[in-house]
Amino acid sequence: MLKRSLVHSILIVFAVLCMNVDSAFAASKKSKKASSKNNSAGAVSIPIPESARKSQEYFSSIPPRIMALIEDGSPHSLKLATTLLHRTAEESYTEKEKILLYLCQAIMQVAWPSQPVTWGVPEFSRSDAYTNTVYSAASGIFDVKIKNEDFLSLVLPSLVVLTGGLKPEYNEKVEASLSKALKLRESSALANYLMGVFLYQKANYAGAFSCFSKALESDGSNKEILLYGLKACSISQDYESALSLGERLLALEPQHVEALKLVCNAYYADGSLDKANEYAAKILTLAPDSFDYVLIRAKIAMESSDYVKVSSLLDAYSRSGSVSKDYYLLRAKLQKEWNKNNNSAAETIGKALYAYPDDCDVMLYAAAVASEANMPIAGCSALELAMKVLQNDSNNRDATKICINELNKAGSYARAYELSNKVVQKSYATIEDFCLHIDICLACRKSDEASKLAKALFAKEPQNVGVQKASVKVLVASGQDSEAEKLINALVAGADSEMKSFLFYEKSFLYGDEASVLENLRTSLTNNPRNSDALYRLYQVYYNKKDWKRAQYYLRQVVALNPVDSNALAKNEELDVLLKK
């Protein structure tokens, strides 16, 4: 009887076990179907590399998928990992699960501060090596407390790059640690982000952008990664990439002022002035004290010669109490180009020179004003200012051009030739540079060189007005009268009034009789009454005839056109004396 009862009990237990196995098998199938369904619906699927499966024994009780999510380290992955770790009762958590919840919280707070932490962390001892490594990193200390090199032990100390600046003695350790981490999980958003920040701090902006791009492959809407990538591209002047990243970031956060500024700067640097102006206006709406963007709007208005707008923007900027190099430059340009007041422009740029004595932009514009106004600024001549620029930037074309013009004015043709000859040897030399060099060659009596250059230019660019003028000058100066007259007659037919004025002025040198000279000079002035060369030549003709009254009539017009021409002013004073006799 007892034996039969025992057999009966064994059969019951066996049946129950079979039922449990069937139930477990069914549940497993159901779970796999649900997982497949979720994946097909667009759920995040993080691959689990072998390194995660064989990660340090300390977290061996944690499912590999959860560890893979934490190692990816993006905000979305961390939130999903904490969801999978969640327990309804606090006492249900293991110590390792509590540690991982804390590590997820710490990573989120340090790496992704724009994202809220949506989970709590149960109380735990906080005496483990992982937690202490995070404490050290938060204090700005790179400290490896974990013996085995699993992914987290390599990445957590490197959070130091985000916590108050990286000390030089940590550079090699951080780079080595993150490099090893990326070998374990090359797609990790967190590891790529930290390596990108590290390279950014080392001024390796191209390398940093590469890391940020990899991080964005895992988390394309991450604000922190997008901002760092935007900054790296802006500094390295990769404006196309900067604008792409900036627009993506602003689509997520339209009022992100720092991003708006960087995008505005990129558009301005890229020459998209309308877009730059649009963003500058947005910035000033959100942050009215961003006075640099008042100046950007003023620069854009200056580009389009909207002087009224420039004036009002500069007035608004000046009321802020701020002063900057750009303000001085814009104010001086406004005074010179709109008000036609070289004296005011010289005074303003002189203030800039005292405030920014070694700034090449300020020195260059001061040289330009000094050259046009024929006056020193802050005790320096135009030539001295331009030469200072060339000491800092030997290839500065504008400074070189000012130097050449000033040397020409002073009659220092040999020095002007030396500088100009260097310019025309450069690959960037323009037709204007070659035409100026021809003028200098003529002044230096290097007629063969001038003729050779003029012929070569005319063969390539026969329709270019500057080339046509240079060719006429060379023929006239070299005494090739018949060739010069032929070319002048050929060019007169299709010339505008200014070109005709030039051609008849040059034609006046082809004849020796006074009547022909006067006829051509008067025809020149009929086409352009402001041709100072023709006016000055008429002064010379009448001066040589001792007709002081007519000579002064033409010379005064030269002075009116160029009131700072010291040579013309001196000759006019001489005529005043002669007329009083």
Side-chain angles (χ1 to χ4, degrees), residues 269-281:
D270 200 39
S272 302
L273 301 185
D274 289 341
K275 292 292 290 184
N277 193 47
E278 175 188 332
Y279 276 88

Side-chain angles (χ1 to χ4, degrees), residues 326-344:
D326 286 339
Y327 170 76
Y328 282 128
L329 286 169
L330 286 166
R331 180 64 78 184
K333 285 179 182 178
L334 187 69
Q335 291 164 334
K336 179 175 176 291
E337 295 175 23
W338 189 35
N339 303 126
K340 307 297 181 185
N341 190 333
N342 280 330
N343 289 330
S344 295

